[in-house]
Amino acid sequence: MTWLNSHPLTFLVFAPTLLGLLLLALPQALGKLTRLLGFLGALAIFVLSLAWLLGRAPGAPLAEHAPWFTLVGLPVDYSLAVDGLNFWLVILTTFLVPLTMLGTWNSLKDRMGTFAAMFLLLETGMLGALVAQDLFLFYLFWEGMLIPMYFMIGVWGGDERRYAANKFFLYTLSGSLLWLVALLFLAGKAGSFAPAIMAQAASGLPFGVQCWLFVAFAVAFAIKVPLFPLHTWLPDAHVQAPTAGSVILAGVLLKLGGYGFIRFAIPMFPQAAMHFAKPLALLSVIAIIYGALVAMVQRDMKKLVAYSSVSHMGFVMLGLASFTVIGTQGAMLQMLNHGISTGALFLLVGMIYDRAHTRMIADFGGVATKMPIFTTFFIIVTLSSIGLPLTNGFVGEFQILNGTFLSGFAWGRAYAVIATLGVVLGAVYMLWMVKRVFWGPVNPDEDSGTQHLHSDLNAREIAVMLPLVVLILWMGIHPGTFQAISEAPVATLLKDANAPAIRPLVLPSAPLLGPVEAAAAGHAPASAEVHP
């Protein structure tokens, strides 16, 4: 117990791997038992994460550090930490893993223990990447996530699972290799893989070199987001992955791309990041509109939700490109929102697929009559996804659009207005699907999906959806719960970028105020006065 109290992060990161290896060692004949052990272990890890992270004093550091080994003369440290930038993402990860296991309890019939083991190994990769503070250690966890996810798609996926798994693997690996070259180059200049030391070394390099290094980092993270036009692997991976794979892919893996920008790319190359703010914002707006338009023409519910992820993650990148505190805070909240809402949508689509064995929208109709409880949950999650006020989706998107509009960039207001169209289109494709599936005419074909719906959600499925609905409403009504801890780190993060809205503005009868404080004082925001 003493070791656990002194090394809580090490336990959180590697306990899933130890449990996964145990499940792999057990006979396959014990499929249901191994699945139960995996779920109980993941649930225990979630409870411990709550106890360790929520039980500490606000702002109290939680870190572990020790020298590890030397790579080509460069020290690699075993450095883990939880702070305001990754706090809620860590809890989101430990929360979604057992919830997804429970929500997809009957989805798989073959090699259940092995799948649970892969899921737990993936949890180690995700948690390790979130808490790693040494860039080479982060890289190892980043690459390590590929392996279990590859097998989850390639072994337990749909008919085109091998194509989707290979595409996912090659996209991510190719971006990572370019990033590794930049990482080793900068570490050689800094003599360390510590981000602070590498950032200091980067600031002394010619600006052109900084830009190339930022691009290498940005491409790797943009593929994971995924940002247009590097998104094409995502719809295939989502559609072919089993339900559990889709939930965790949308819930956590995509967030690691945005987290990489926040944790490493922007603070290490602030001026280069500012230089590329407009291209990043432009690609984000394209992703928002493109993802929504393509989602509107989908016939498969799962593929529609997959393209909605492209659109919603475009909002995240737009918030980061605004270089404002409110925009970046909105982006961080939107990452949590997307993990909850889109994860819930994939779970619900998986639940109806388990009953009907089809995801085609045309195969349904009149589902509200046959499954009223399922319909209620689906409507709530849909309203969250389209950003209805008092739900989590509204707060994140509002802050992102507000931050972009008040960014002080010449393009800020135009991009914010265009991105707002994505909110409207999101309502169009989601409500169109809901209307046809739940209140449309029943498909008379005896092999249609509706004809196979003989039962509503059971107690286990209701227990899975209830905490997600509670979070949707809690995050929408009181977002400060999830944003207070990140406000100070975000302000520090943006300070070196010297963005228009961050530059201090002297007001006639007030001290130096940032945009948020100026607005609270009744003054015009700095972004309305300063232009690049």
Side-chain angles (χ1 to χ4, degrees):
M1 186 60 67
T2 302
W3 185 90
L4 288 182
N5 289 331
S6 59
H7 298 84
L9 296 181
T10 297
F11 179 82
L12 284 180
V13 170
F14 291 104
T17 291
L18 295 177
L19 181 58
L21 294 177
L22 173 63
L23 297 185
L24 287 176
L26 293 175
Q28 287 297 315
L30 301 175
K32 293 184 179 180
L33 177 61
T34 54
R35 181 178 59 185
L36 178 62
L37 289 175
F39 165 70
L40 293 176
L43 183 62
I45 291 168
F46 168 60
V47 172
L48 286 173
S49 72
L50 289 181
W52 280 327
L53 298 181
L54 295 180
R56 67 193 183 103
L62 184 59
E64 300 174 24
H65 183 89
W68 191 15
F69 68 95
T70 300
L71 177 70
V72 292
L74 301 172
V76 178
D77 294 332
Y78 178 77
S79 181
L80 309 176
V82 170
D83 59 14
L85 297 180
N86 59 10
F87 180 89
W88 287 110
L89 287 173
V90 170
I91 292 181
L92 175 68
T93 304
T94 60
F95 168 70
L96 282 182
V97 169
L99 196 74
T100 302
M101 286 183 168
L102 186 62
T104 58
W105 195 257
N106 295 322
S107 295
L108 297 176
K109 308 299 182 184
D110 183 39
R111 290 173 286 185
M112 294 175 287
T114 304
F115 183 85
M118 290 294 108
F119 208 56
L120 290 165
L121 292 174
L122 179 61
E123 183 178 12
T124 285
M126 296 184 297
L127 289 173
L130 286 171
V131 302
Q133 301 299 306
D134 180 278
L135 259 168
F136 192 79
L137 181 63
F138 175 82
Y139 180 82
L140 293 178
F141 282 118
W142 178 273
E143 293 296 273
M145 291 185 296
L146 286 178
I147 301 172
M149 194 67 204
Y150 175 83
F151 284 112
M152 287 168 65
I153 298 173
V155 176
W156 290 274
D159 294 338
E160 301 293 329
R161 57 186 178 272
R162 292 179 182 175
Y163 169 78
N166 289 333
K167 192 173 184 179
F168 161 74
F169 191 88
L170 291 174
Y171 257 81
T172 308
L173 184 63
S174 59
S176 298
L177 291 177
L178 175 64
W179 172 42
L180 179 61
V181 173
L183 182 63
L184 294 175
F185 172 82
L186 185 56
K189 296 291 184 182
S192 172
F193 285 101
I197 299 176
M198 294 178 74
Q200 187 175 6
S203 66
L205 295 174
F207 182 68
V209 176
Q210 293 183 43
C211 288
W212 280 111
L213 292 172
F214 174 78
V215 168
F217 275 63
V219 167
F221 298 144
I223 289 174
K224 189 74 79 178
V225 167
L227 185 63
F228 179 91
L230 305 172
H231 68 284
T232 58
W233 64 269
L234 181 66
D236 292 322
H238 267 315
V239 172
Q240 297 303 321
T243 299
S246 294
V247 174
I248 209 66
L249 182 61
V252 181
L253 256 71
L254 304 188
K255 312 305 172 294
L256 285 162
Y259 174 76
F261 276 98
I262 296 170
R263 172 67 72 185
F264 299 117
I266 293 175
M268 289 178 66
F269 313 101
Q271 297 303 315
M274 270 287 297
H275 179 72
F276 286 102
K278 183 175 182 179
L280 281 176
L282 177 60
L283 292 177
S284 301
V285 171
I286 293 174
I288 292 169
I289 304 301
Y290 169 83
L293 290 174
V294 177
M296 288 174 62
V297 299
Q298 296 306 312
R299 301 177 180 180
D300 184 324
M301 285 191 287
K302 197 174 185 183
K303 203 163 189 177
L304 184 149
V305 178
Y307 274 105
S308 78
S309 286
V310 176
S311 184
H312 288 147
M313 291 305 292
F315 278 105
V316 172
M317 291 304 302
L318 182 62
L320 297 181
S322 74
F323 283 90
T324 60
V325 173
I326 188 172
T328 305
Q329 283 279 77
M332 295 186 66
L333 182 65
Q334 189 67 3
M335 288 197 288
L336 298 176
N337 295 341
H338 183 263
I340 297 296
S341 300
T342 305
L345 281 175
F346 278 120
L347 278 171
L348 289 166
V349 171
M351 290 173 186
I352 199 170
Y353 177 78
D354 289 342
R355 292 166 167 79
H357 307 294
T358 178
R359 297 188 299 261
M360 295 297 119
I361 295 173
D363 286 338
F364 294 97
V367 173
T369 303
K370 291 201 168 189
M371 301 179 68
I373 299 175
F374 175 84
T375 302
T376 301
F377 281 119
F378 205 101
I379 294 302
I380 294 172
V381 177
T382 295
L383 295 176
S384 163
S385 181
I386 66 178
L388 184 77
L390 300 183
T391 66
N392 55 353
F394 170 79
V395 181
E397 290 178 354
F398 177 79
Q399 289 184 329
I400 290 166
L401 294 172
N402 191 17
T404 305
F405 192 85
L406 300 177
S407 64
F409 290 111
W411 44 264
R413 297 188 176 189
Y415 283 14
V417 171
I418 297 171
T420 304
L421 180 60
V423 180
V424 178
L425 294 176
V428 170
Y429 63 73
M430 289 300 298
L431 295 179
W432 171 80
M433 176 182 67
V434 165
K435 178 181 180 296
R436 293 188 63 189
V437 171
F438 295 96
W439 285 282
V442 177
N443 189 322
D445 189 341
E446 62 179 13
D447 291 327
S448 70
T450 306
Q451 304 302 328
H452 290 84
L453 300 178
H454 304 299
S455 63
D456 208 338
L457 297 189
N458 56 38
R460 171 183 57 81
E461 292 166 325
I462 293 173
V464 168
M465 295 307 303
L466 278 176
L468 293 171
V469 169
V470 169
L471 283 171
I472 284 171
L473 298 176
W474 185 5
M475 295 170 76
I477 296 171
H478 198 272
T481 304
F482 304 89
Q483 292 191 306
I485 195 172
S486 61
E487 186 170 358
V490 165
T492 302
L493 171 84
L494 298 176
K495 180 178 62 177
D496 293 334
N498 195 30
I502 304 299
R503 297 169 194 164
L505 172 68
V506 179
L507 297 172
S509 58
L512 292 178
L513 298 177
V516 177
E517 293 83 353
H523 299 288
S527 55
E529 304 291 336
V530 183
H531 296 278

